[in-house]
Amino acid sequence: MKQERVTINDHFWNYYRDLVKNVMIPYQWRVLNDEENIATSGKTSYYATEKSHALENLRIAAGLTNGEFHGQWFQDSDVYKWLEAAAYVLGGSEDQGLRQRVDQVIDLIAAAQQDDGYLDTYFQLKEPTRKLQHVAKSHELYCMGHYIEAGCALYQAIDSQKALDIAVKMADFIDAHFGPEEGKLHGYPGHPEIELALMKLADTTQNEKYLKLAAYMVNTRGTQPNFFTEQLQTTAAKEESYWGGKEPALGYFQADVPVREIEMAEGHAVRMVYLLTGMAHVARETHDQSLQAACERLYHDIVDRQMYVTGGVGATANGEAFTFDNDLPNDTAYAETCASCGMVFFLKQMLENQPDAQYADVMERELFNGTISGMALDGQHFFYVNPLEVDPVSCAMDPNKHHVLPTRPTWLACACCPPNLARLLSSLDRYVYTVHGDTVYLDQFISSQLVLDNGVQVEQQSNYPWDGQVTITVTAPQATDMALGIRMPEWCHGAVRLTENGVAVPYEMQRGYMVLAGTYEATTTYVLDLPMQAEQVTANPAVKADIGKVALQRGPIVYCLEEVDNGPHLPWVTLSPDAQLTAVTDESSLSIPFKAIETVGKRLPVAATGYVARNATPVNLRFVPYFAWANRMVGEMLVWVKQR
C-alpha cells in the first residue's frame, strides 16, 4: 500500500493553514518584493533594518534591472522557501493569482540561472570570482538545496516541468563539481541542506545519481583530509565580506569527525538537524545500518538531554548552537524556530525508516509548541528565538539577552524562519500518517482523510488538541488485509479506551502504537478516548535551571503564565504540588479558541524597600498555551514555575 492523498479538515490546524494561504504567503510576497514597510528602528540585530531585496537580487542577476546585491548572502533561500510553501498551497486548492505569481518567479529564476546550472545571486553579482572557494561559509549549496526542494514540490503539486528542470540543472552543476573523482571538490556544504534536497530530487526523478551524490556528501563529511581545513589553506579567504572574523571550530559545522562518530549533538542547531534529516533519508535508501544507528544515537542525545519542554533545541545564542547535556537555561534560551521545523523534517525521516511512536510524540511536541510559537496569530509577526522566560526590562538592559525579544517583529534581519514555518504548515498533510507495508500508522491526531492507492480510506475526526476523543473510520471498497497503528501518546497517563460500537477493541502494542490487524471491508469505525487532564511536569533533575520548578501541560500543549493575565513579577509566583488545575474554554481573548488552565497559587510580594516579604498570599493564576504568548501585550512570560 502507498499513500496517495491526504486532505486535512481540522479545526485547529485549518486556522494555521488558512493563515498561511490567505495572510502569510501574500504578506511574505510583499516583503520579498519590497512592497511592505518592514524597516524598524533596529532595537537589536534581529530586527529588519532594510527591505528584503530578495526578488530584486534575482531580477538583477537575470539582467532585467540594474543595481547591486542587498541583504544576507543567503537571501535567495527566502524566495525558494516561499515558493515551496506556495507549491503546497496550490497542490491543495485553486488560486489563479498565486499561480501567476509562482509562474513569474519560476521564469525569473530560470532567467537568473547560469548556463552551467549555477545560481547564487550574491556571488553572481558581488563575488563572481569566489564561487565554491569557501564552501564552509558561502551557503551556495544551502541556497541551491532550498531551490531544489521547491522545484520538486512544484513538479509534484502543479506539474511544473520547468521548475523541476531548473532543479535538475542545478543538481547536475553540483554533481559536476563535487564527488570522489579527480578534479572535483572532495567536500560537502558548510550548512547542510543540499543532502536532504538531493534525496528529494532522487525520489522525484528516480535518478540514482542524486542519491549517490547525497550519500557521498554525508559519508565524506568530517573525514581526513578535512575539506574545510584544506580550503582554508588554499582557496578560502580569511576575511570574506559576508562573514568576517574568526573561523568557527569544525564542530560548529558538524565536520570535526565523520558523521558516524559524532557522539552528541553539536554546533549550529539548524545545521545539525538538517544534516540528520539527510542522513536518515540516505540511511533508508542505501540500507545503511551504521548510519541509521548514528541517527538514533543523536536523536536520543537531543531529545533526552538537549531539548526544552516546548521542543526547542539549540540552547545558546553563541553560534545558535547546542551546548552540552542538560544545559537548558530558560531566560537566555535560543530555540530557533527553524531548528524546531528541522526537527519535524528529521523525525519524519525517522518514522519512514522505522515506525516508532517516540518519533511521532516528539513531532507532536514540536508542531504544537516549538514551531508555531515562532509566529503571531496574525501571520505577520515572527520570532526567531523562542525563550521560556521573558522580562521586557531584562531584554532591553541585559546584553546577554539581546537575542530575547518580548514581542514579535514584523520581519527579521535574518528571515529564514518565517518562510520555513510557512512551508512546514502548508505541507502538514505529509506528517499525519506513515504507511509501512500493509500497516497505516496514525502519527498525528489531525482531522483528515487518507486515501491509499488500493482505494482504502482512513479518516479521523476530533477536536484535538483540546479534547481527547478521536473517531477513526476505515472504509475499504473490497476486503483488504491490513493493519492500523494508532499512536499511544507519551503524555497520556490514564486509562485509554478504544471501542467499536461501544465494545472494547483488543489491540497489540508495537513500538508505542496500538495495532489492529485484520480484514477490513465496507466501513469500520473506532472511537479512541485519550484522558486529557492538565498536569504538572518536572524536568530531569540534571537540568539546573528547572530544579524545584514545574511546567503545566495538557495533552500535547505546554502552557505559560503571561503578565497580561497574572500581573508582573511572575518569578515570585509558586504552585503547590496538589494545586487543582481546571481547564476552561476561552473563545474571546485570542483570535483562536483555546483552553486555558486556571488554578490558585501564591505570590511573594515585593516590598517597596526592595526586600522580599516572607508571607506569600493566594493568587488566582491563568495559564495560556505557550504557542499563543505575546499576542496581546508586551509583558513578562514564564513557563517553569517554582513549586511550593
Side-chain angles (χ1 to χ4, degrees):
M1 298 188 303
K2 291 185 179 179
Q3 178 173 306
E4 191 168 278
R5 183 177 68 256
V6 175
T7 304
I8 290 177
N9 186 23
D10 184 271
H11 184 68
F12 180 90
W13 289 110
N14 278 358
Y15 177 87
Y16 279 97
R17 286 164 65 80
D18 289 345
L19 197 65
V20 171
K21 177 183 177 182
N22 300 321
V23 179
M24 287 182 74
I25 286 180
Y27 175 76
Q28 291 182 21
W29 168 262
R30 296 194 302 273
V31 170
L32 297 172
N33 214 36
D34 301 335
E35 297 171 353
E36 190 76 23
N37 184 21
I38 59 167
T40 72
S41 59
K43 298 176 183 178
T44 78
S45 60
Y46 289 84
Y47 285 79
T49 56
E50 62 178 2
K51 293 189 175 182
S52 168
H53 212 258
L55 283 166
E56 185 65 14
N57 288 335
L58 284 162
R59 295 188 189 102
I60 298 168
L64 302 177
T65 60
N66 296 318
E68 296 181 353
F69 180 94
H70 285 286
Q72 302 280 1
W73 67 100
F74 46 82
Q75 204 85 339
D76 294 358
S77 63
D78 294 350
V79 176
Y80 303 154
K81 282 183 277 189
W82 176 89
L83 198 57
E84 187 182 351
Y88 297 133
V89 168
L90 290 173
S93 61
E94 291 281 342
D95 187 325
Q96 193 59 39
L98 179 59
R99 176 61 188 266
Q100 289 175 353
R101 285 178 176 171
V102 164
D103 287 341
Q104 290 171 6
V105 176
I106 294 170
D107 290 342
L108 175 60
I109 291 169
Q113 187 176 32
Q114 294 185 337
D115 291 341
D116 63 359
Y118 181 90
L119 178 55
D120 188 293
T121 63
Y122 174 85
F123 286 93
Q124 288 171 234
L125 300 177
K126 202 163 185 176
E127 299 279 1
T129 65
R130 299 291 298 149
K131 296 173 185 175
L132 303 181
Q133 300 297 296
H134 198 169
V135 179
K137 290 184 175 181
S138 68
H139 281 59
E140 293 160 278
L141 301 184
Y142 170 84
C143 289
M144 286 191 273
H146 272 302
Y147 178 78
I148 290 170
E149 286 197 84
C152 292
L154 289 162
Y155 178 74
Q156 294 163 356
I158 61 174
D159 199 29
S160 175
Q161 186 64 50
K162 186 171 186 177
L164 184 62
D165 288 345
I166 296 169
V168 167
K169 189 176 178 181
M170 202 175 275
D172 287 345
F173 167 85
I174 298 169
D175 184 63
H177 288 80
F178 288 83
E181 297 86 0
E182 186 176 353
K184 291 185 178 182
L185 295 170
H186 305 314
Y188 36 83
H191 194 310
E193 155 65 24
I194 190 63
E195 304 92 335
L196 68 90
L198 287 169
M199 292 305 299
K200 287 187 177 182
L201 187 61
D203 288 346
T204 302
T205 63
Q206 294 298 297
N207 190 330
E208 192 175 344
K209 173 171 69 174
Y210 306 122
L211 163 60
K212 289 180 178 178
L213 181 56
Y216 171 77
M217 288 186 168
V218 166
N219 291 324
T220 306
R221 193 176 198 90
T223 59
Q224 295 298 327
N226 188 278
F227 172 59
F228 292 160
T229 301
E230 287 198 326
Q231 273 210 324
L232 193 61
Q233 295 169 349
T234 54
T235 61
K238 293 295 196 314
E239 292 289 340
E240 297 285 5
S241 60
Y242 51 83
W243 187 352
K246 184 180 178 182
E247 189 83 5
L250 290 173
Y252 173 84
F253 302 106
Q254 298 84 36
D256 49 340
V257 296
V259 295
R260 290 168 182 76
E261 298 175 19
I262 301 175
E263 291 298 326
M264 59 184 289
E266 63 178 359
H268 186 267
V270 178
R271 284 172 167 83
M272 183 80 253
V273 295
Y274 276 25
L275 174 61
L276 286 168
T277 303
M279 287 170 57
H281 200 160
V282 169
R284 179 170 72 255
E285 297 299 333
T286 59
H287 309 288
D288 190 325
Q289 293 303 311
S290 65
L291 193 58
Q292 174 68 16
C295 291
E296 292 172 1
R297 179 178 66 253
L298 292 166
Y299 161 83
H300 281 291
D301 181 65
I302 292 172
V303 172
D304 297 344
R305 294 176 287 277
Q306 296 205 66
M307 186 177 77
Y308 286 96
V309 68
T310 57
V313 296
T316 180
N318 185 11
E320 304 179 323
F322 291 101
T323 54
F324 54 91
D325 289 351
N326 302 306
D327 178 42
L328 295 168
N330 296 307
D331 58 349
T332 60
Y334 205 76
E336 183 181 339
T337 302
C338 276
S340 283
C341 292
M343 281 292 292
V344 176
F345 305 152
F346 170 45
L347 293 162
K348 177 57 178 176
Q349 293 303 321
M350 294 298 278
L351 283 167
E352 292 287 350
N353 291 0
Q354 173 66 70
D356 193 315
Q358 64 177 326
Y359 303 132
D361 283 332
V362 179
M363 181 187 289
E364 179 180 72
R365 186 174 296 276
E366 297 288 2
L367 288 173
F368 282 104
N369 304 285
T371 60
I372 56 176
S373 60
M375 178 180 67
L377 293 173
D378 66 1
Q380 299 181 82
H381 295 80
F382 307 94
F383 275 144
Y384 193 101
V385 173
N386 295 278
L388 282 76
E389 179 178 343
V390 169
D391 176 357
V393 175
S394 181
C395 293
M397 304 298 290
D398 186 344
N400 293 317
K401 298 175 184 174
H402 74 284
H403 59 289
V404 178
L405 307 183
T407 188
R408 298 172 180 87
T410 55
W411 201 244
L412 301 160
C414 174
C416 53
C417 296
N420 214 5
L421 187 55
R423 69 177 182 141
L424 171 63
L425 293 172
S426 57
S427 63
L428 188 64
D429 52 290
R430 300 181 175 211
Y431 301 96
V432 183
Y433 305 93
T434 302
V435 180
H436 267 259
D438 63 354
T439 304
V440 176
Y441 293 91
L442 277 67
D443 297 321
Q444 303 303 325
F445 299 115
I446 295 176
S447 296
S448 55
Q449 183 187 69
L450 164 68
V451 178
L452 298 167
D453 61 355
N454 60 3
V456 172
Q457 298 181 12
V458 179
E459 185 174 358
Q460 51 175 318
Q461 290 292 328
S462 69
N463 189 33
Y464 202 82
W466 313 122
D467 188 283
Q469 186 174 93
V470 183
T471 300
I472 303 164
T473 303
V474 181
T475 304
Q478 58 189 19
T480 304
D481 292 331
M482 59 174 283
L484 200 65
I486 305 170
R487 177 169 60 94
M488 177 82 78
E490 56 86 19
W491 53 259
C492 189
H493 305 305
V496 174
R497 280 179 50 82
L498 182 64
T499 59
E500 180 184 1
N501 297 324
V503 179
V505 176
Y507 55 82
E508 179 183 352
M509 287 301 300
Q510 295 180 11
R511 297 183 303 276
Y513 290 95
M514 298 172 277
V515 177
L516 311 169
T519 301
Y520 286 85
E521 191 171 10
T523 299
T524 305
T525 300
Y526 303 109
V527 176
L528 174 68
D529 282 295
L530 302 170
M532 188 178 282
Q533 64 274 351
E535 61 179 345
Q536 299 183 24
V537 298
T538 57
N540 185 323
V543 181
K544 296 178 182 178
D546 299 332
I547 293 174
K549 297 179 181 180
V550 294
L552 296 194
Q553 184 170 332
R554 183 179 183 274
I557 303 295
V558 175
Y559 283 76
C560 67
L561 292 170
E562 280 197 280
E563 182 178 344
V564 64
D565 299 311
N566 304 285
H569 309 304
L570 296 181
W572 300 116
V573 168
T574 64
L575 273 180
S576 69
D578 57 354
Q580 182 176 347
L581 307 176
T582 303
V584 295
T585 300
D586 186 320
E587 296 183 352
S588 61
S589 61
L590 292 169
S591 55
I592 183 172
F594 67 98
K595 284 192 181 291
I597 297 175
E598 294 181 348
T599 188
V600 176
K602 288 195 173 181
R603 184 191 298 274
L604 295 169
V606 181
T609 54
Y611 63 87
V612 178
R614 291 187 176 277
N615 53 325
T617 56
V619 58
N620 293 324
L621 299 175
R622 189 171 189 269
F623 290 76
V624 297
Y626 173 76
F627 70 78
W629 85 275
N631 276 278
R632 292 172 291 175
M633 64 167 274
V634 177
E636 295 180 32
M637 183 275 291
L638 190 67
V639 171
W640 289 98
V641 181
K642 293 186 182 72
Q643 190 178 62
R644 192 169 65 255

